Amino acid sequence: MTVVLGIETSCDETAAAVLADGRRVLSNVVASQDAIHAPYGGVVPELASRRHLEVVVPVVEKALADAGVKPGDLDGLAVTRGPGLVGSLLVGLSVAKSLAFVHGTPLVGVNHLEGHIYAAFLEPDPPEHPFLALVVSGGHTALYHARAPLRYALVGETRDDAAGEAFDKVAKLLGLGFPGGPAIQKVAEQGDPRAVAFPVAQMTDGARDFSFSGIKTSVSLYVKRHAPLNAARVADVAASFQAAVVKMLVRKTVRAALHLGVKRLVLTGGVAANGPLRAALRREAAEHGLTLHIPSPRLCTDNAAMIAAAGTARLQAGERAPLSLNAAPDLALA
Ligand code: KG4
Ligand code: ZN
């Protein structure tokens, strides 16, 4: 049995998890900082690193205790080295490197986005390569063609905001709080998705890229023009915005899959926790004969089990990081 501890501190979740054989989650601890950043309507990097520093050791201790594993028994350590906030990344890296130093445990640095993709491998029916992965989070919105294990080609990405960022900004405009995604999804249940026709961005050069800044501006103008918005109007705007974002994501993803001739899709990242997005992509994938893999919502948002999963694959491929491993805030996957 291969037992790997994953540590994730790239943004505003302090997370640690223990994974057996790259598939069995023995523990999965996530300490959210939502309450700390909520008053600011977004993540404050300085506050995030300070909070990681306070809770990271208890979080790691809990993950080990829940799994019934001692640090010296670990076969590997997997830690997020990027992309993310540098001050936040350094906290997880320091803890992982200390453990590796003390116990002589093999260490590997993991790309956070590869972690999101590996969340799909923690489900009972993992995807087979090749597949197309839509990684849609607070910091990233990109399509990756995973041709073979650990090999990725970038197919398309956002030219401006990430989809999750758009959810967060629109939620702020509507006074719905932080994080915006879950808040918008909840309020949208009471609204009419056809109430407002927000623009669905098209790339004039035909590229498979995304863009979410236009819709964000449209919502902003709408809110200014119709202020003050009553609760029913807020629900309609939330539902219409969500429907437009879902449409953009689904359309581009299915088109890219058909163009590449890929038969399998993976939907992952924080925004993949969104119910209407999951349902819409399921519908479209089925219609086009594509197999779709979506991790459970808990594994879509930031966690360390996904980091341990990607890390196990890399450790098994013989990869090892030196103790000089550093944070890479702009690390690319492909
Ligand atoms: O992957 P993640 O946990 O952190 C990053 O790597 O960024 O993604 C966080 C993003 C936030 O923007 C949050 O608003 C969004 O995911 N999100 C959602 C939902 N749950 C989280 N967006 C839409 N619907 C949701 N249910
Ligand atoms: Zn993430």
Side-chain angles (χ1 to χ4, degrees), residues 8 10 112 116 137-138 269-270 300-302 306:
E8 153 65 39
S10 68
H112 181 81
H116 274 306
S137 72
C300 283
T301 49
D302 284 355
M306 68 186 199

Side-chain angles (χ1 to χ4, degrees), residues 136-163:
V136 64
S137 72
H140 297 85
T141 297
L143 279 168
Y144 293 100
H145 186 186
R147 298 171 201 274
L150 311 179
R151 285 188 45 219
Y152 309 91
L154 181 65
V155 171
E157 65 184 330
T158 183
R159 294 197 178 172
D160 36 63
D161 293 348

Side-chain angles (χ1 to χ4, degrees), residues 18 108-109 182 244 269 303:
V18 178
V108 73
N303 67 86

